[in-house]
Amino acid sequence: MDIPQVTPTETAPSGDMGQDYLATGKQVAMRRWEASPCGWADMRTRKYETVGYVIQGRLEIDLDGETATLHSGDSWMVPEGAPHRYRILEKLVAIEATSPPARMGNRDATES
């Protein structure tokens, strides 16, 4: 079997927001977040859909005016273009998948 991409943790490229970019395909990409507790991030929208899974920690997400608290084992989805922001409540480790891939075409650039 030919595996087109293997991304070891030690060599995963990092983004400007602290994310580690993992495997990236044409339609979907994964990234890993590790973050310390902090206040609310700025409200923003993105040109991609995001699904995420909390491995460790706790965070709040404000999605289009509604707030939810996520714990270890919880997952979430942010539709493309939806106003949202995060607040980390406990040291966080999470995995996200973005479609189309966030790291391509400058999609990770901050918008509104």
Side-chain angles (χ1 to χ4, degrees), residues 78-93:
V78 177
E80 179 178 349
H84 66 285
R85 63 185 179 157
Y86 301 96
R87 175 168 61 171
I88 311 303
L89 303 172
E90 294 174 4
K91 183 175 166 78
L92 179 72
V93 177

Side-chain angles (χ1 to χ4, degrees), residues 22-91:
L22 304 175
T24 301
K26 292 178 183 177
Q27 302 299 319
V28 68
M30 285 191 340
R31 58 188 180 186
R32 181 181 187 275
W33 293 93
E34 190 166 327
S36 297
C38 62
W40 285 108
D42 293 335
M43 190 69 74
R44 59 187 53 178
T45 62
R46 296 292 186 191
K47 293 180 180 180
Y48 50 80
E49 178 177 83
T50 303
V51 294
Y53 178 79
V54 180
I55 295 172
Q56 171 188 323
R58 191 166 56 98
L59 76 145
E60 286 182 315
I61 181 171
D62 176 358
L63 178 58
D64 206 15
E66 294 189 38
T67 303
T69 302
L70 298 143
H71 302 83
S72 231
D74 291 341
S75 58
W76 72 93
M77 193 278 291
V78 177
E80 179 178 349
H84 66 285
R85 63 185 179 157
Y86 301 96
R87 175 168 61 171
I88 311 303
L89 303 172
E90 294 174 4
K91 183 175 166 78

